């Protein structure tokens, strides 16, 4: 894989301070898909550290610490990045899970939950996708080129009993992505989703602490008997983000070791 930036494309990756987002930012550069990267994370030090890593790979990179659920902050950061790098060509809506509060444990039974518990899940997994897409898609349409990739979850496709609001918010993001794809295809802008199964990242650190029996039980639902890696996710995201994927839009690609099928 090439280790120097060969593209002038500008990418914004949300939640890129660790896990799938960090790996995606790195691979966009290594694969020559983006040469300028706006590294978003709510945690400023994480964003700065990844921006430094990307500079080490020969890319131009800026850290953009904002909360994707804060519409005005998103618009301000995108305007600043655009002034520095030019318009955003590639948006990876990756920030997710339970948002800035960190990765929450299983939600309580939905019928016992307090509606106030739903807000962080809907905010980062749905509203955040709207905010970031809204901030960049007009420019993509104007310039006649854009790639939007939204990271959803198998929870959105299959329905996770312990993550029901998360499942719904991610499914909402997928529906939104299909609709945006319909609206922008004629302008050279594609919009697709990648649906992840259980993937080893800081959010799922419990995978590394799991005993063999628990791991085997979880993996019994997977055709490929290992957990996913951030590199597995990033490979699919980079595919949709690349120039060559221009005739693929409104699709959801499961990256899930065969946990479920897309027919
Ligand atoms: N890891 C998995 O097993 C898995 C499975 C299915 C889907 N996903 C999805 O993949 C994406 C990446 O997950 P991950 O496992 O790499 O997570 P992670 O928690 O390791 O990393 C996410 C990063 O996003 C940042 N972030 C969180 N809320 C934010 C906000 N509101 N604004 C800006 N930044 C914010 C966090 O600070 C963190 O650095 C998420 O959308 C998640 O829902 C992950």
């Amino acid at each position: 894989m090439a280790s120097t930036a060969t593209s002038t494309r500008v990418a914004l990756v949300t939640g890129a301070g660790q896990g799938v987002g960090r790996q995606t930012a790195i691979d966009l550069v290594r694969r020559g898909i983006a040469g300028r990267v706006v590294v978003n994370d709510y945690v400023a030090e994480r964003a700065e550290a990844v921006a430094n890593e990307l500079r080490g790979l020969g890319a131009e990179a800026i850290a953009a610490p904002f909360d994707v659920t804060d519409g005005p902050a998103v618009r301000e950061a995108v305007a600043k990045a655009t002034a520095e790098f030019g318009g955003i060509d590639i948006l990876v809506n990756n920030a997710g899970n339970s948002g800035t509060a960190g990765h929450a444990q299983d939600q309580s039974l939905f019928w016992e939950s307090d509606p106030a518990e739903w807000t962080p899940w809907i905010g980062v997994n749905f509203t955040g996708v709207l905010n970031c897409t809204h901030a960049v898609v007009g420019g993509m349409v104007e310039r006649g080129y854009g790639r939007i990739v939204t990271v959803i979850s198998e929870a959105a496709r299959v329905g996770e009993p312990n993550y029901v609001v998360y499942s719904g918010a991610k499914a909402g993001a997928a529906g939104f992505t299909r609709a945006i794809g319909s609206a922008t295809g004629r302008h050279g802008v594609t919009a697709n989703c990648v649906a992840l199964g259980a993937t080893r990242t800081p959010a799922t650190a419990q995978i590394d602490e799991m005993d063999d029996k628990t791991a085997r039980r979880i993996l019994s639902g997977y055709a490929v008997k290992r957990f996913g890696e951030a590199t597995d996710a990033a490979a699919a995201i980079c595919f949709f983000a690349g120039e060559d994927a221009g005739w693929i839009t409104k699709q959801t690609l499961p990256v899930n070791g065969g946990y479920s099928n897309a027919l």
Side-chain angles (χ1 to χ4, degrees), residues 4-238:
T4 49
T6 54
S7 168
T8 54
R9 293 283 181 208
V10 182
L12 164 60
V13 184
T14 68
Q18 64 181 30
V20 169
R22 170 182 166 273
Q23 191 63 50
T24 297
I26 289 171
D27 287 358
L28 284 171
V29 170
R30 283 203 180 136
R31 291 169 190 260
I33 296 167
R36 295 176 186 156
V37 185
V38 184
V39 182
N40 160 256
D41 203 285
Y42 177 70
V43 182
E45 308 82 66
R46 286 184 197 158
E48 196 50 69
V50 173
N52 270 331
E53 270 186 281
L54 300 185
R55 288 183 206 114
L57 294 173
E60 293 180 62
I62 47 175
F66 59 81
D67 179 343
V68 296
T69 68
D70 180 346
V74 173
R75 283 194 292 280
E76 192 185 317
V78 166
K80 207 170 141 201
T82 302
E84 192 157 339
F85 280 171
I88 308 288
D89 301 305
I90 299 163
L91 168 65
V92 181
N93 285 310
N94 167 76
N97 295 325
S98 51
T100 55
H103 196 59
Q105 296 304 305
D106 287 5
Q107 293 166 283
S108 52
L109 290 172
F110 181 71
W111 49 94
E112 291 173 3
S113 67
D114 183 327
E117 293 169 30
W118 309 343
T119 309
W121 301 92
I122 297 167
V124 70
N125 295 295
F126 184 68
T127 312
V129 172
L130 264 58
N131 283 338
C132 295
T133 305
H134 184 254
V136 304
V137 73
M140 289 176 172
V141 164
E142 245 172 64
R143 293 187 302 279
Y145 184 90
R147 299 279 182 270
I148 298 169
V149 188
T150 298
V151 181
I152 64 158
S153 169
E154 280 295 274
R157 300 181 62 248
V158 176
E160 285 291 330
N162 292 323
Y163 287 97
V164 292
V165 179
Y166 175 70
S167 300
K170 287 291 200 192
F176 165 75
T177 302
R178 286 190 288 274
I180 271 293
S182 294
T184 60
R186 71 187 62 200
H187 302 290
V189 180
T190 66
N192 294 286
C193 291
V194 169
L196 304 183
T199 304
R200 285 180 58 235
T201 67
T204 55
Q206 74 273 18
I207 288 177
D208 290 332
E209 287 145 28
M210 220 172 250
D211 58 68
D212 282 357
K213 198 175 155 206
T214 311
R216 267 201 307 276
R217 182 177 47 76
I218 295 171
L219 291 174
S220 67
Y222 287 72
V224 180
K225 300 296 177 189
R226 65 167 175 83
F227 291 99
E229 300 292 337
T231 47
D232 295 315
I237 296 166
C238 285

